[in-house]
Amino acid sequence: MASLSSRSLLLCASRARFPYALSCFHSSSGSLRTRAAERSQAGPSTPPSDAASPQLSVRNAAKAPGQLDVLLPLPGVKGLTRLGLEDTRASVRDLIEAVRHADASLKTVEVATPDGTKLARTVRLSELTAMSFCLRLNHVSVLVEGDAAALDDRRAREESVAFATVKAEIEKDPRLILPLKEFYRMCHNAGAEEAVATKWLRELQRRNLIVHFDRSKNPQLENAVILRPYSLESVLTLQNSLDSELYNIKHDRRVKERQLTELNSTLKKLQQVESEVHLAARRMPNAQKWVGLTGLTGFYGALMFCVWDVYSWDVMEPITYFIGFTAVLGNSFYYTITKKDPTYSNIWQKRYWARVDVLSKERKFNPSELEELKARIADLENDITLLSQWEKVEVGSPTLH
């Protein structure tokens, strides 16, 4: 017990210094004990989830991470009791012993997660204080906020103070235009990183304190922050910047229109070459088709002549059988090589595209270049349409406040 008291700091708050607060809290703790007694008499009808839900919330005021310093409302002690554990090697068991030492009337002391999962007694204090946890004192659950929550709150307060400092400097700045680099330097001096400074930039725009065109292609607008955008001088400066931006838009549109004209001329030439190639490629497959049909017809006529005039059917029957089986073998080999059925259409298409490749190489025509050219023309047409729409947008006379 002596070693435990050396690690723990148990200080009862003085009723003389805080008479009103302690009396109020004592009455509330008494009412909690009364409700706890009523629950114990009522039996198991109360859902366990209600009993496990935190009823009070305290914050860990320890200055160093891994330590514990909280004010707890113990049922058997009037007022608030300060509980401190400075040894980071302490565990949940030491915390429970310290609480029981502070209030011997406690029957149940447990440490659990906010969702009600009971923690093992071997969990280290450094791991426990890194998160929020619940301390169950009989039927009362006290939520102890972890170091992360306190750190986030402190960081938020510091960030709020830094933002107010930057905002005040911008409001006092007599210039109309503030360089963007200087704004980021101002935020850096206030302790803000680049991501936080960007967030502040958007917040200041939302409050109508500045104007920044972060997506503009004009370096004059992209690298400048316009202060007091509703003043007359700032409006004139913004109008001049927009005029130069409009000039750039018109210039870009005209350049793209000239490029589109050249590409359309090239496209017509390529399409003409493509049409000539495809027209010439049809001639050879068509000629081969007629030659094949003529050969099959002549071969069939020769078989008829051999059956009725030269030999009899008894002689020609095995010959025709071998001819038919040879055709089956030929079709099988054709499918194995080309992975397509040996139909007239497939054979014609194969000869046709082979001829197209030969003629394209002879005339130095690349079909992929034609597709790329069409894609470039489509992109240029889309860009010209967008630029034309931007030109039609009229900048109205701003309202001065």
Side-chain angles (χ1 to χ4, degrees):
M1 189 64 68
S3 61
L4 180 61
S5 60
S6 63
R7 293 196 306 265
S8 306
L9 179 61
L10 302 175
L11 298 176
C12 294
S14 175
R15 300 184 65 183
R17 295 180 59 185
F18 308 102
Y20 177 73
L22 293 182
S23 60
C24 294
F25 193 86
H26 179 59
S27 61
S28 62
S29 62
S31 61
L32 289 176
R33 290 198 300 271
T34 304
R35 289 198 299 269
E38 292 175 355
R39 289 180 183 176
S40 61
Q41 294 176 1
S45 60
T46 304
S49 59
D50 295 341
S53 60
Q55 300 174 359
L56 299 174
S57 177
V58 296
R59 177 166 297 178
N60 185 8
K63 297 181 179 180
Q67 297 181 359
L68 186 65
D69 186 6
V70 293
L71 293 175
L72 295 178
L74 300 178
V77 180
K78 295 181 180 180
L80 297 176
T81 302
R82 184 177 181 183
L83 176 65
L85 290 176
E86 298 180 356
D87 189 0
T88 57
R89 295 174 298 177
S91 61
V92 172
R93 181 184 293 105
D94 298 329
L95 175 60
I96 294 176
E97 291 178 359
V99 174
R100 289 187 180 277
H101 179 72
D103 187 1
S105 64
L106 288 172
K107 296 181 179 180
T108 303
V109 179
E110 294 179 353
V111 179
T113 60
D115 58 358
T117 304
K118 186 177 179 180
L119 295 176
R121 297 197 174 194
T122 57
V123 176
R124 294 290 183 182
L125 183 64
S126 57
E127 300 175 359
L128 183 64
T129 56
M131 61 180 181
S132 299
F133 63 93
C134 285
L135 188 61
R136 297 177 184 173
L137 308 176
N138 291 343
H139 295 283
V140 180
S141 295
V142 180
L143 177 64
V144 181
E145 297 182 1
D147 297 337
L151 183 61
D152 292 341
D153 291 344
R154 184 164 59 252
R155 186 178 300 171
R157 289 194 298 270
E158 293 175 356
E159 183 175 321
S160 177
V161 173
F163 175 76
T165 303
V166 173
K167 176 176 174 292
E169 291 183 7
I170 289 178
E171 290 176 345
K172 294 179 181 179
D173 198 319
R175 292 174 292 179
L176 297 177
I177 296 179
L178 178 69
L180 185 61
K181 293 183 179 179
E182 187 172 344
F183 173 80
Y184 278 106
R185 189 184 306 112
M186 185 186 303
C187 295
H188 179 72
N189 295 335
E193 299 178 354
E194 184 176 356
V196 178
T198 304
K199 183 177 69 174
W200 289 357
L201 182 64
R202 296 173 182 172
E203 177 62 22
L204 291 172
Q205 288 190 89
R206 190 185 67 82
R207 299 187 183 187
N208 296 326
L209 295 177
I210 62 173
V211 169
H212 176 239
F213 297 91
D214 55 341
R215 298 183 180 179
S216 176
K217 295 182 179 180
N218 187 354
Q220 183 180 0
L221 288 176
E222 185 181 6
N223 299 321
V225 177
I226 300 177
L227 307 181
R228 295 177 296 280
Y230 288 105
S231 64
L232 179 60
E233 296 176 342
S234 297
V235 168
L236 294 177
T237 303
L238 179 60
Q239 186 69 39
N240 293 332
S241 301
L242 291 177
D243 289 341
S244 62
E245 185 78 6
L246 184 60
Y247 172 78
N248 293 333
I249 291 175
K250 290 182 179 179
H251 178 71
D252 292 342
R253 178 182 58 80
R254 292 170 182 172
V255 170
K256 290 183 181 296
E257 286 178 349
R258 288 195 296 268
Q259 293 177 356
L260 181 61
T261 303
E262 296 175 358
L263 292 180
N264 283 328
S265 177
T266 306
L267 178 64
K268 290 181 180 179
K269 295 179 181 178
L270 291 178
Q271 287 178 341
Q272 184 177 0
V273 174
E274 182 187 25
S275 177
E276 293 175 356
V277 167
H278 284 274
L279 182 62
R282 291 190 183 96
R283 296 173 184 172
M284 181 173 289
N286 289 335
Q288 292 174 349
K289 177 183 67 175
W290 287 109
V291 170
L293 290 176
T294 304
L296 289 175
T297 304
F299 181 73
Y300 186 72
L303 288 177
M304 293 175 61
F305 176 75
C306 291
V307 170
W308 278 287
D309 291 343
V310 180
Y311 307 105
S312 64
W313 175 247
D314 294 336
V315 176
M316 294 301 298
E317 182 180 6
I319 296 175
T320 56
Y321 172 78
F322 281 107
I323 292 174
F325 188 72
T326 303
V328 172
L329 288 177
N331 293 339
S332 300
F333 280 113
Y334 183 87
Y335 179 81
T336 303
I337 296 173
T338 63
K339 304 300 180 183
K340 292 182 179 180
D341 294 331
T343 61
Y344 293 108
S345 176
N346 289 339
I347 295 174
W348 189 91
Q349 291 289 338
K350 185 176 183 300
R351 299 301 304 167
Y352 169 73
W353 288 112
R355 187 60 180 170
V356 167
D357 292 339
V358 172
L359 293 177
S360 298
K361 291 179 181 179
E362 290 179 357
R363 303 190 182 188
K364 297 180 180 180
F365 170 72
N366 189 359
S368 60
E369 293 181 359
L370 182 62
E371 298 300 327
E372 293 177 359
L373 185 60
K374 290 181 180 179
R376 290 179 58 189
I377 290 176
D379 292 339
L380 283 176
E381 290 177 348
N382 187 25
D383 293 342
I384 292 173
T385 302
L386 291 177
L387 292 174
S388 301
Q389 292 177 356
W390 290 345
E391 288 183 25
K392 293 178 182 179
V393 176
E394 297 181 357
V395 181
S397 58
T399 304
L400 301 179
H401 297 281

